[in-house]
Amino acid sequence: MADDKKLSHIDEQGQANMVDVTEKVVSQRQAVAVGFVKMQAHTLDMITTGRHAKGDVFAVARIAGIQGAKRCSELIPLCHPLMLTKVNVEFSPDPEHNKVHIKSLCKLAGQTGVEMEALTAVSVAALTLFDMCKAVDPSMQIGGIKVSEKLGGKTGHWLAEHDMEGTD
């Protein structure tokens, strides 16, 4: 399918360009991102029963995810620094598939979306889970990171069409 849309971070000369959002209307915006960390059953059990030697893995990963969202513009070169009003990071253990599902929600009232912040929150939370558990399970896999929903701006309400989260 042909798409007329241009890449917004490239100017007419093909140079990297931070998008000018000065004239955009301030609106309530939010984005939800998801991902997972797949691990061995004993690793998931250690985390969920609180027997991990490093302590509460979910608490540390949650704080890391929130910090990641807040620092997104420092990590992704052309992202605007945003005044986030809400960042939430949740973990859902899935013993049937030996996974921890991660979900983040980012909100603000602003001129540009918060998808990158939500994706960064999930990514940093997943990396932190990996870091805290790598000594007992170096074969863990991080996957399925995507935007699953967004609200606000000219797009309005958008939901991901296909759920590829279960693919490894």
Side-chain angles (χ1 to χ4, degrees):
M1 176 168 114
D3 194 351
D4 301 359
K5 293 183 180 181
K6 295 179 183 176
L7 296 174
S8 60
H9 289 83
I10 306 295
D11 67 14
E12 293 78 25
Q13 290 77 40
Q15 302 296 313
N17 175 48
M18 187 173 187
V19 175
D20 184 356
V21 297
T22 307
E23 301 300 320
K24 290 178 89 176
V25 175
V26 171
S27 67
Q28 300 294 315
R29 297 166 184 265
Q30 74 177 42
V32 175
V34 295
F36 64 83
V37 180
K38 186 174 174 79
M39 59 192 65
Q40 295 176 19
H42 78 274
T43 308
L44 182 58
D45 184 62
M46 286 176 83
I47 295 169
T48 58
T49 60
R51 293 184 295 110
H52 195 289
K54 292 187 178 182
D56 189 342
V57 173
F58 291 145
V60 175
R62 180 174 292 109
I63 292 168
I66 293 167
Q67 284 299 105
K70 291 167 56 176
R71 301 191 87 146
C72 182
S73 67
E74 295 173 32
L75 300 168
I76 311 297
L78 300 176
C79 280
H80 294 85
L82 301 180
M83 183 61 72
L84 296 169
T85 57
K86 175 72 176 171
V87 179
N88 187 50
V89 178
E90 299 174 4
F91 302 97
S92 301
D94 178 0
E96 185 177 335
H97 299 101
N98 296 326
K99 291 181 179 179
V100 172
H101 295 274
I102 306 166
K103 179 179 176 181
S104 72
L105 165 72
C106 292
K107 295 172 80 172
L108 61 64
Q111 295 165 293
T112 189
V114 291
E115 298 91 345
M116 294 309 299
E117 288 72 14
L119 288 165
T120 301
V122 168
S123 299
V124 172
L127 289 168
T128 302
L129 281 175
F130 190 100
D131 180 52
M132 292 188 74
C133 299
K134 68 183 182 274
V136 296
D137 189 355
S139 66
M140 290 177 291
Q141 297 176 14
I142 296 171
I145 298 173
K146 65 177 185 175
V147 174
S148 63
E149 182 178 13
K150 67 178 225 125
L151 287 148
K154 65 181 178 184
T155 309
H157 188 196
W158 177 88
L159 285 169
E161 290 182 28
H162 301 289
D163 182 15
M164 300 186 315
E165 185 175 318
T167 60
D168 291 347

